[in-house]
């Protein structure tokens, strides 16, 4: 109905908003709003695909980032590509390649924090660790980030300060964990007690 009413100007009519569609067709306000939302989502997806194309992202990561951030995904990616790690299928390597493409320096604090969190998450996913000794987490972050130990340690400390990781002294060992894993361990210990 929109195409019949507006022809080749349908895209411009949709971008003008729901009121333009309701006024020019016999669709309801709810239908017009749904069409406008879908149009914006489609545009955001297309813009995201163009943005990450050079970084070699797989489509499941693109869809996951789009599902998590919606129409704002490109603005989020340009502002801080490491925030895209909040999407389920986006991995550190994806965000890191995009950040490099966008000119984010290798020693940027956002990268160091994201790398520290990714290193701890990888140890949990690969080896089942709920927490890591801080020294092992720094070593893993050093390898993942390709930076020196001082920068990796700084990123890990910032991750703890920002609440992205939890630091704790456990049996005389300084450990770090993801907040959810730490909460799970506390709940398990409480249950055992």
């Amino acid at each position: 109905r929109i195409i019949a009413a507006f022809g080749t100007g349908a895209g411009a009519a949709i971008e003008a908003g729901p009121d333009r569609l309701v006024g020019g067709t016999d669709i309801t306000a709810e239908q017009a709003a749904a069409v406008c939302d879908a149009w914006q989502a489609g545009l955001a997806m297309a813009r995201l695909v163009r943005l990450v194309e050079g970084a070699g992202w797989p489509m499941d990561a693109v869809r996951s980032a789009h599902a998590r951030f919606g129409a704002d995904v490109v603005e989020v990616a340009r502002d801080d590509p490491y925030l895209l790690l909040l999407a389920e299928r986006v991995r550190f390597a994806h965000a890191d390649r995009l950040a490099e493409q966008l000119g984010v320096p290798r020693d940027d604090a956002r990268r160091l924090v994201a790398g520290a969190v990714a290193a701890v998450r990888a140890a949990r996913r690969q080896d089942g660790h709920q927490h890591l000794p801080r020294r092992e987490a720094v070593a893993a972050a050093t390898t993942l980030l390709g930076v020196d130990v001082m920068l990796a340690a700084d990123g890990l400390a910032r991750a703890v300060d920002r609440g992205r990781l939890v630091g704790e002294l456990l049996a005389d060992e300084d450990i770090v964990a993801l907040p959810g894993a730490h909460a799970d361990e506390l709940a398990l210990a409480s249950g055992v007690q």
Side-chain angles (χ1 to χ4, degrees):
R1 285 181 269 176
I2 293 169
I3 293 171
F6 296 103
T8 58
I14 294 169
E15 289 176 5
D19 292 341
R20 176 73 175 106
L21 298 180
V22 171
T25 65
D26 60 348
I27 64 173
T28 68
E30 293 79 22
Q31 291 170 326
V35 167
C36 289
D37 289 346
W39 181 268
Q40 290 304 317
L43 290 176
M45 175 67 99
R47 290 175 55 222
L48 179 61
V49 167
R50 281 194 301 273
L51 180 68
V52 302
E53 186 175 36
W57 277 37
M59 275 310 292
D60 66 328
V62 174
R63 283 190 290 272
S64 181
H66 181 264
R68 173 69 172 81
F69 294 100
D72 298 328
V73 67
V74 171
E75 288 71 27
V76 169
R78 288 188 186 284
D79 184 52
D80 184 354
Y82 296 101
L83 285 178
L84 298 178
L85 290 168
L86 295 172
E88 185 178 331
R89 300 249 182 226
V90 177
R91 300 290 177 249
F92 180 79
H94 303 143
D96 206 35
R97 285 193 308 263
L98 178 59
E100 182 179 3
Q101 178 180 303
L102 295 173
V104 175
R106 293 182 57 76
D107 63 351
D108 186 282
R110 297 170 298 179
R111 181 176 187 270
L112 299 177
V113 168
V117 173
V120 173
R121 181 172 284 125
R124 183 173 191 217
R125 188 174 52 251
Q126 292 168 0
D127 302 322
H129 297 306
Q130 289 294 82
H131 61 266
L132 282 180
R134 185 179 286 257
R135 61 185 156 59
E136 288 182 29
V138 169
T142 299
T143 301
L144 178 67
L145 292 164
V147 297
D148 65 44
V149 172
M150 295 298 288
L151 283 173
D154 180 58
L156 194 131
R158 288 174 189 251
V160 170
D161 289 345
R162 295 176 185 178
R164 303 277 313 277
L165 292 173
V166 177
E168 181 179 31
L169 194 62
L170 180 66
D172 296 326
E173 175 116 54
D174 194 11
I175 63 146
V176 292
L178 296 168
H182 185 256
D184 290 345
E185 288 290 297
L186 291 177
L188 181 59
S190 176
V192 169
Q193 287 177 342

